[in-house]
Amino acid sequence: MNEIECRIEVELRRELKKFSRWLSRLGFTPGTSGNLSVRLDADRLLLTPTGLSKGLIKAADMVIADMDGRLLAGTRRVTSEISMHIAVYRQRPDVNAVVHSHPPVATAYACSGRGLNEVLCQEAVMTVGTVPLASYATTGTAEVAASMLPFVSGHDAILLENHGLVSYGQTLLDAFMKMETVEHIAQVALIAHQLGSARPLGRDRIQQIQSAKAKYIHNIQEELLCSPWKDVGTLAPDRNVSEETLVSEMA
Ligand SMILES: [Zn+2]
């Protein structure tokens, strides 16, 4: 490994730790659930190991696996859910990061046999679009990847029936933001339907928003694509995490 490859791996380990802890604080990875991965190169993935709290994980805990899910480096074990990640990477060469977690409201949709196929808020069109529901598969088996395959190419996030959510993108930040956005969209959908007068957007309005999206994409693309070399902490949503905490995590 040359010096540049070494520096990239170190930075990606820090990013995996940062976004693992962030997911944990959002309540998306109770216990030891959830896993995150990034491409190291064409043949290798760097990912969170099995059996560790995402709130306590360290950069040194990450493992390296090949595209068949075999451990190449690291002192911990590869997650049994790696086939979910590999299914995305194999079908989407544009994707460099995959996040899987169990955000409670989105997972409740998945446990009720519902996808997020209705477009209620403009933000959905601007970001992840609709989120389909992959049919039931036992976690940790090859069935999970098979159930996702019909949706991987046309979507950036997929609900897994009676399980959780997987999202992916060009960087870890991109995949993470899609994860938290889907949970937000699920919360809005749940409450709108509880209010009893949900008003989905029609085709014309969706097309108008898609036209506006081109400008939006241009504005954020620089931030999304420059990771891991740029400090992305300034994009932190103002939740329960202080900026000081995020900065200290990068240390
Ligand atoms: Zn899971």
Side-chain angles (χ1 to χ4, degrees), residues 112-133:
S112 305
R114 297 170 186 235
L116 290 160
N117 300 313
E118 202 174 45
V119 182
L120 284 168
C121 47
Q122 298 187 24
E123 186 190 357
V125 185
M126 299 292 273
T127 54
V128 289
T130 57
V131 185
L133 177 69

Side-chain angles (χ1 to χ4, degrees), residues 139-154:
T139 183
T141 70
E143 294 169 11
V144 178
S147 73
M148 290 164 51
L149 282 180
F151 307 110
V152 172
S153 61

Side-chain angles (χ1 to χ4, degrees), residues 33-35 81 84 100-102 139 160 163-165:
S33 65
N35 29 75
E81 290 184 315
M84 182 194 305
H100 164 60
S101 75
H102 305 158
T139 183
L160 309 170
H163 184 170
L165 176 67

Side-chain angles (χ1 to χ4, degrees), residues 23-102:
L23 282 173
S24 174
R25 289 199 184 93
L26 291 171
F28 290 8
T29 58
T32 61
S33 65
N35 29 75
L36 303 85
S37 68
V38 290
R39 281 191 207 269
L40 271 181
D41 52 42
D43 305 314
R44 298 181 306 151
L45 303 176
L46 181 68
L47 70 160
T48 56
T50 189
L52 270 188
S53 161
K54 301 302 164 296
L56 300 173
I57 203 162
K58 298 188 288 292
D61 291 322
M62 307 308 165
V63 293
I64 297 173
D66 67 15
M67 293 300 282
D68 292 316
R70 290 184 292 249
L71 180 69
L72 297 176
T75 57
R76 297 187 177 273
R77 288 191 297 129
V78 175
T79 171
S80 61
E81 290 184 315
I82 193 172
S83 63
M84 182 194 305
H85 297 244
I86 291 170
V88 175
Y89 290 121
R90 285 216 168 116
Q91 225 180 322
R92 292 281 300 268
D94 59 309
V95 164
N96 295 312
V98 177
V99 174
H100 164 60
S101 75
H102 305 158

Side-chain angles (χ1 to χ4, degrees), residues 9-10 16 66 88 103 130 137 189 211 229:
E9 183 182 322
V10 166
L16 282 167
D66 67 15
V88 175
T130 57
S211 300
W229 295 111

